[in-house]
PDB file of all heavy atoms in Angstrom:
ATOM      1  N   PHE U 504     103.034  32.509  64.411  1.00  0.00           N
ATOM      2  CA  PHE U 504     101.942  32.433  65.370  1.00  0.00           C
ATOM      3  C   PHE U 504     100.816  31.593  64.755  1.00  0.00           C
ATOM      4  O   PHE U 504     100.568  31.657  63.577  1.00  0.00           O
ATOM      5  CB  PHE U 504     101.361  33.824  65.650  1.00  0.00           C
ATOM      6  CG  PHE U 504     102.161  34.660  66.606  1.00  0.00           C
ATOM      7  CD1 PHE U 504     103.401  34.235  67.032  1.00  0.00           C
ATOM      8  CD2 PHE U 504     101.656  35.873  67.038  1.00  0.00           C
ATOM      9  CE1 PHE U 504     104.128  35.012  67.887  1.00  0.00           C
ATOM     10  CE2 PHE U 504     102.386  36.654  67.905  1.00  0.00           C
ATOM     11  CZ  PHE U 504     103.615  36.227  68.327  1.00  0.00           C
ATOM     12  N   SER U 505     100.123  30.871  65.591  1.00  0.00           N
ATOM     13  CA  SER U 505      98.947  30.157  65.129  1.00  0.00           C
ATOM     14  C   SER U 505      97.770  31.124  65.040  1.00  0.00           C
ATOM     15  O   SER U 505      97.755  32.155  65.669  1.00  0.00           O
ATOM     16  CB  SER U 505      98.604  29.027  66.115  1.00  0.00           C
ATOM     17  OG  SER U 505      98.360  29.559  67.392  1.00  0.00           O
ATOM     18  N   THR U 506      96.777  30.769  64.226  1.00  0.00           N
ATOM     19  CA  THR U 506      95.613  31.632  64.068  1.00  0.00           C
ATOM     20  C   THR U 506      94.869  31.728  65.387  1.00  0.00           C
ATOM     21  O   THR U 506      94.674  30.745  66.072  1.00  0.00           O
ATOM     22  CB  THR U 506      94.659  31.044  63.008  1.00  0.00           C
ATOM     23  OG1 THR U 506      95.395  30.896  61.806  1.00  0.00           O
ATOM     24  CG2 THR U 506      93.463  31.952  62.786  1.00  0.00           C
ATOM     25  N   ALA U 507      94.409  32.949  65.728  1.00  0.00           N
ATOM     26  CA  ALA U 507      93.733  33.132  67.009  1.00  0.00           C
ATOM     27  C   ALA U 507      92.589  34.103  66.860  1.00  0.00           C
ATOM     28  O   ALA U 507      92.771  35.222  66.438  1.00  0.00           O
ATOM     29  CB  ALA U 507      94.715  33.645  68.066  1.00  0.00           C
ATOM     30  N   GLY U 508      91.371  33.672  67.226  1.00  0.00           N
ATOM     31  CA  GLY U 508      90.242  34.561  67.361  1.00  0.00           C
ATOM     32  C   GLY U 508      89.805  35.245  66.091  1.00  0.00           C
ATOM     33  O   GLY U 508      90.189  34.903  64.992  1.00  0.00           O
ATOM     34  N   GLN U 509      88.970  36.268  66.261  1.00  0.00           N
ATOM     35  CA  GLN U 509      88.511  37.071  65.157  1.00  0.00           C
ATOM     36  C   GLN U 509      88.624  38.528  65.517  1.00  0.00           C
ATOM     37  O   GLN U 509      88.526  38.905  66.663  1.00  0.00           O
ATOM     38  CB  GLN U 509      87.048  36.760  64.815  1.00  0.00           C
ATOM     39  CG  GLN U 509      86.875  35.415  64.133  1.00  0.00           C
ATOM     40  CD  GLN U 509      85.459  35.268  63.623  1.00  0.00           C
ATOM     41  OE1 GLN U 509      84.531  35.808  64.186  1.00  0.00           O
ATOM     42  NE2 GLN U 509      85.308  34.534  62.550  1.00  0.00           N
ATOM     43  N   ALA U 510      88.832  39.364  64.507  1.00  0.00           N
ATOM     44  CA  ALA U 510      88.908  40.793  64.737  1.00  0.00           C
ATOM     45  C   ALA U 510      88.070  41.505  63.702  1.00  0.00           C
ATOM     46  O   ALA U 510      87.877  41.035  62.599  1.00  0.00           O
ATOM     47  CB  ALA U 510      90.356  41.279  64.646  1.00  0.00           C
ATOM     48  N   ASN U 511      87.583  42.677  64.079  1.00  0.00           N
ATOM     49  CA  ASN U 511      86.828  43.495  63.146  1.00  0.00           C
ATOM     50  C   ASN U 511      87.341  44.912  63.271  1.00  0.00           C
ATOM     51  O   ASN U 511      86.844  45.704  64.044  1.00  0.00           O
ATOM     52  CB  ASN U 511      85.339  43.422  63.482  1.00  0.00           C
ATOM     53  CG  ASN U 511      84.521  44.253  62.517  1.00  0.00           C
ATOM     54  OD1 ASN U 511      84.989  44.603  61.435  1.00  0.00           O
ATOM     55  ND2 ASN U 511      83.301  44.570  62.915  1.00  0.00           N
ATOM     56  N   THR U 512      88.409  45.240  62.539  1.00  0.00           N
ATOM     57  CA  THR U 512      89.001  46.553  62.641  1.00  0.00           C
ATOM     58  C   THR U 512      88.236  47.524  61.771  1.00  0.00           C
ATOM     59  O   THR U 512      87.438  47.145  60.923  1.00  0.00           O
ATOM     60  CB  THR U 512      90.475  46.538  62.197  1.00  0.00           C
ATOM     61  OG1 THR U 512      90.516  46.220  60.801  1.00  0.00           O
ATOM     62  CG2 THR U 512      91.271  45.513  62.965  1.00  0.00           C
ATOM     63  N   GLU U 513      88.492  48.808  61.990  1.00  0.00           N
ATOM     64  CA  GLU U 513      87.760  49.846  61.292  1.00  0.00           C
ATOM     65  C   GLU U 513      87.897  49.704  59.780  1.00  0.00           C
ATOM     66  O   GLU U 513      86.980  49.990  59.032  1.00  0.00           O
ATOM     67  CB  GLU U 513      88.272  51.209  61.752  1.00  0.00           C
ATOM     68  CG  GLU U 513      87.379  52.365  61.372  1.00  0.00           C
ATOM     69  CD  GLU U 513      87.811  53.634  62.055  1.00  0.00           C
ATOM     70  OE1 GLU U 513      89.033  53.862  62.172  1.00  0.00           O
ATOM     71  OE2 GLU U 513      86.933  54.403  62.446  1.00  0.00           O
ATOM     72  N   ASN U 514      89.052  49.238  59.313  1.00  0.00           N
ATOM     73  CA  ASN U 514      89.285  49.105  57.881  1.00  0.00           C
ATOM     74  C   ASN U 514      89.387  47.640  57.437  1.00  0.00           C
ATOM     75  O   ASN U 514      89.817  47.352  56.330  1.00  0.00           O
ATOM     76  CB  ASN U 514      90.557  49.856  57.481  1.00  0.00           C
ATOM     77  CG  ASN U 514      90.379  51.351  57.621  1.00  0.00           C
ATOM     78  OD1 ASN U 514      89.513  51.944  57.005  1.00  0.00           O
ATOM     79  ND2 ASN U 514      91.188  51.963  58.457  1.00  0.00           N
ATOM     80  N   SER U 515      89.014  46.718  58.332  1.00  0.00           N
ATOM     81  CA  SER U 515      88.953  45.294  57.994  1.00  0.00           C
ATOM     82  C   SER U 515      90.266  44.744  57.474  1.00  0.00           C
ATOM     83  O   SER U 515      90.302  44.006  56.501  1.00  0.00           O
ATOM     84  CB  SER U 515      87.831  45.055  56.956  1.00  0.00           C
ATOM     85  OG  SER U 515      86.594  45.426  57.498  1.00  0.00           O
ATOM     86  N   TYR U 516      91.383  45.108  58.100  1.00  0.00           N
ATOM     87  CA  TYR U 516      92.679  44.557  57.728  1.00  0.00           C
ATOM     88  C   TYR U 516      93.014  43.374  58.633  1.00  0.00           C
ATOM     89  O   TYR U 516      92.723  43.387  59.825  1.00  0.00           O
ATOM     90  CB  TYR U 516      93.785  45.610  57.874  1.00  0.00           C
ATOM     91  CG  TYR U 516      93.685  46.753  56.898  1.00  0.00           C
ATOM     92  CD1 TYR U 516      93.455  48.044  57.343  1.00  0.00           C
ATOM     93  CD2 TYR U 516      93.848  46.552  55.532  1.00  0.00           C
ATOM     94  CE1 TYR U 516      93.364  49.105  56.453  1.00  0.00           C
ATOM     95  CE2 TYR U 516      93.767  47.596  54.636  1.00  0.00           C
ATOM     96  CZ  TYR U 516      93.530  48.873  55.096  1.00  0.00           C
ATOM     97  OH  TYR U 516      93.444  49.914  54.221  1.00  0.00           O
TER      98      TYR U 516
END
Side-chain angles (χ1 to χ4, degrees):
F504 281 8
S505 59
T506 303
Q509 287 189 330
N511 181 18
T512 65
E513 194 170 39
N514 292 301
S515 299
Y516 293 116

